[in-house]
């Protein structure tokens, strides 16, 4: 006999705010990788430790009693270090008191920026394929996501399509360079063209730059072109970055936003009521660690060596390698390996070969399948070599 719940036990039914959101492909593939004992090159995080010096700096802050609430926008010494880095690398002066905010990771920074500026009915342009939080963030704010595809195959921005997508209702555009998932990097010419398009508008820019220190092939002149380098963009931009990505501590969830004072004031109104502030000893530890710039200046060479190791192994398979200009991702065309679609191929690869990857179709709202999957090479050499041994049969 079924026992009916009493009135006091009834859970009210909800109307979801995110009807299209389910379990992410990252969760699905990571669970499958664990079940099949596969090498997980799907989800984007390192499997190696950070610098012990950074951990020691955080421990020191804890033992010194720096364990209570910090100021809402972040501890001053860390904001000052961030401002100094931006000035040194990009030549843009940000006031640490009014234009730098420490956030609980980049994902929180992005949703906070969206909630701060997007009103119901506003349009926000996203360039697909894109990080999976962008569209739900816009929808939670009551905004309307306007999906503009990057050029299939090359993943370069199509500025004619971007320009055509701007309407009187456009409130913001979100860009991401170095780009996840494609590993492309916007050029100076790209940024200048965006600046030209936005100049006559009031469209705001949210510039996701979490992989800023992972740009490769400097000998060929490739550099990270931050929005901070372009006055016409910086004046309208929330620039987002991530200590987790830069210092191999993704689980710490600490990032920051740099923006003009008027934009920062609105950003902080939301920030103070969705997280209020961020882990105190980690902020002090990061500030101490930032005194030595080598940790981020040496990062491109560190990851380029891993990229080259991984690409050399993949070149012996039937995968067609796409360029990896930045980030810690490598995309491959699977057309010569399998007739399966991307999602089915990733499940097959995990189950039968023992290596997990992510389908690029997961980064498109319509599930666009172009026979491309993404690997993460932010792994120990032995992890990459183990994966390459398994992939060698393809």
């Amino acid at each position: 006999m079924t026992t009916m719940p009493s009135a006091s036990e009834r859970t009210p039914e909800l109307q979801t705010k995110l009807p299209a959101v389910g379990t992410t492909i990252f969760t699905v593939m990571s669970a499958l990788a664990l079940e099949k004992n596969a090498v997980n090159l799907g989800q984007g995080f390192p499997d190696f430790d950070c610098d012990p010096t950074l951990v020691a700096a955080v421990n020191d802050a804890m033992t010194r009693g720096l364990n209570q609430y910090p100021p809402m926008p972040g501890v001053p010494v860390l904001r000052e270090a961030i401002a100094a880095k931006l000035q040194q690398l990009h030549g843009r002066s940000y006031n640490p008191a009014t234009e730098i905010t420490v956030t609980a990771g980049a994902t929180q920074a992005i949703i906070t920026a969206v909630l701060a500026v997007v009103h119901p009915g506003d349009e926000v342009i996203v360039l697909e394929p894109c990080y999976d939080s962008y569209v739900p963030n816009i929808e939670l704010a009551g905004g309307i996501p306007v999906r503009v595809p990057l050029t299939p195959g090359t993943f370069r921005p199509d500025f004619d399509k971007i320009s055509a997508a701007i309407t009187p209702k456009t409130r913001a555009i979100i860009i991401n360079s170095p780009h996840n998932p494609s590993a492309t990097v916007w050029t100076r010419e790209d940024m200048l063209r965006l600046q030209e398009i936005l100049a006559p508008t009031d469209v705001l820019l949210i510039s996701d730059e979490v992989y800023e220190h992972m740009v490769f092939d400097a000998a060929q002149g490739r550099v990270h072109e931050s929005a901070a380098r372009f006055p016409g963009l910086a004046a309208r931009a929330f620039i987002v970055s991530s200590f987790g990505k830069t210092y191999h501590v993704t689980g710490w969830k600490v990032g920051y936003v740099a923006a003009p004072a008027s934009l920062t004031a609105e950003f902080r109104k939301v920030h103070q009521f969705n997280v209020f502030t961020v882990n105190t000893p980690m902020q002090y530890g990061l500030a101490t660690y930032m005194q030595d710039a080598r940790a981020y200046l040496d990062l491109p060479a560190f990851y380029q060596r891993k990229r080259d190791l991984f690409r050399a192994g993949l070149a012996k398979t039937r995968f067609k390698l796409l360029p990896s200009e930045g980030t810690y991702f490598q995309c491959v065309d699977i057309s010569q390996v399998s007739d399966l679609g991307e999602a089915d191929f990733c499940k097959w690869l995990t189950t039968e070969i023992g290596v997990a990857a992510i389908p690029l179709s997961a980064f498109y709202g319509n599930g666009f399948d172009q026979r491309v999957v993404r690997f993460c090479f932010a792994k120990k050499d032995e992890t990459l070599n183990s994966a390459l041994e398994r992939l060698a049969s393809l």
Side-chain angles (χ1 to χ4, degrees):
M1 185 177 77
T2 302
T3 302
M4 298 297 292
S6 67
S8 62
E9 294 176 331
R10 185 176 66 85
T11 301
E13 292 187 10
L14 297 178
Q15 181 178 354
T16 178
K17 288 187 173 183
L18 297 171
V21 173
T23 303
T24 71
I25 189 66
F26 309 102
T27 300
V28 171
M29 294 310 304
S30 289
L32 185 61
L34 184 63
E35 176 188 339
K36 302 299 181 181
N37 196 30
V39 180
N40 189 354
L41 302 187
Q43 205 162 0
F45 59 86
D47 69 345
F48 47 83
D49 291 333
C50 68
D51 185 346
T53 303
L54 176 55
V55 175
V58 173
N59 285 338
D60 179 66
M62 289 181 180
T63 58
R64 287 191 291 128
L66 301 171
N67 299 301
Q68 306 308 323
Y69 289 131
M72 179 269 289
V75 299
V77 67
L78 180 56
R79 284 183 281 138
E80 290 163 5
I82 294 166
K85 187 189 85 165
L86 290 168
Q87 175 72 54
Q88 179 185 11
L89 294 183
H90 306 308
R92 180 79 179 183
S93 177
Y94 286 91
N95 185 324
T98 59
E99 298 183 318
I100 303 287
T101 308
V102 180
T103 62
T107 302
Q108 182 253 317
I110 293 166
I111 191 172
T112 300
V114 170
L115 291 173
V117 303
V118 176
H119 298 261
D122 285 349
E123 295 176 352
V124 181
I125 295 171
V126 296
L127 307 179
E128 289 191 317
C130 64
Y131 182 56
D132 63 349
S133 82
Y134 296 170
V135 169
N137 290 176
I138 296 163
E139 292 173 338
L140 285 170
I144 301 168
V146 177
R147 304 171 188 268
V148 176
L150 297 167
T151 304
T154 65
F155 303 99
R156 307 308 312 180
D158 186 327
F159 289 105
D160 289 339
K161 289 183 178 179
I162 292 171
S163 183
I166 295 176
T167 76
K169 293 184 177 181
T170 305
R171 183 59 171 159
I173 179 172
I174 305 177
I175 68 170
N176 173 213
S177 178
H179 182 248
N180 174 22
S182 74
T184 55
V185 174
W186 282 35
T187 66
R188 176 174 174 78
E189 289 71 26
D190 291 332
M191 299 299 283
L192 287 171
R193 182 75 176 101
L194 180 65
Q195 182 173 249
E196 178 186 4
I197 289 171
L198 297 184
T201 77
D202 288 327
V203 174
L204 297 167
L205 173 63
I206 300 173
S207 186
D208 180 351
E209 304 183 14
V210 298
Y211 299 101
E212 61 175 321
H213 298 298
M214 300 168 210
V215 176
F216 311 133
D217 304 314
Q220 283 75 53
R222 188 174 291 124
V223 298
H224 171 56
E225 298 288 359
S226 172
R229 295 185 171 196
F230 302 87
L233 296 178
R236 65 178 72 228
F238 296 93
I239 296 172
V240 178
S241 193
S242 164
F243 291 113
K245 298 289 193 302
T246 299
Y247 293 141
H248 320 306
V249 286
T250 58
W252 289 12
K253 298 297 295 178
V254 184
Y256 65 83
V257 169
S262 61
L263 300 185
T264 295
E266 292 303 310
F267 181 92
R268 289 179 179 177
K269 288 179 183 179
V270 177
H271 174 78
Q272 70 179 334
F273 292 118
N274 67 3
V275 294
F276 178 59
T277 191
V278 177
N279 188 299
T280 302
M282 286 178 178
Q283 288 195 57
Y284 280 105
L286 286 163
T288 299
Y289 194 66
M290 285 185 73
Q291 293 175 14
D292 186 351
R294 288 176 297 178
Y296 55 82
L297 295 179
D298 292 346
L299 200 60
F302 173 82
Y303 273 122
Q304 183 168 331
R305 189 191 64 77
K306 289 186 176 294
R307 180 203 68 171
D308 293 347
L309 167 69
F310 192 50
R311 284 177 66 87
L314 289 177
K316 299 174 184 177
T317 72
R318 287 179 293 148
F319 287 126
K320 177 184 175 184
L321 276 68
L322 278 63
S324 177
E325 300 171 346
T327 74
Y328 43 50
F329 300 118
Q330 174 65 58
C331 290
V332 298
D333 187 311
I334 65 173
S335 299
Q336 300 303 311
V337 177
S338 172
D339 293 328
L340 295 171
E342 293 172 4
D344 287 339
F345 175 80
C346 286
K347 292 174 182 175
W348 173 85
L349 189 71
T350 305
T351 301
E352 301 299 329
I353 305 300
V355 179
I358 296 292
L360 248 65
S361 55
F363 297 87
Y364 287 89
N366 64 359
F368 176 51
D369 191 320
Q370 54 198 311
R371 316 297 307 288
V372 175
V373 304
R374 188 199 77 178
F375 293 109
C376 173
F377 56 79
K379 308 296 177 183
K380 299 173 185 174
D381 287 2
E382 51 264 42
T383 303
L384 295 176
N385 286 325
S386 176
L388 289 169
E389 288 175 7
R390 300 182 184 200
L391 295 170
S393 61
L394 300 178

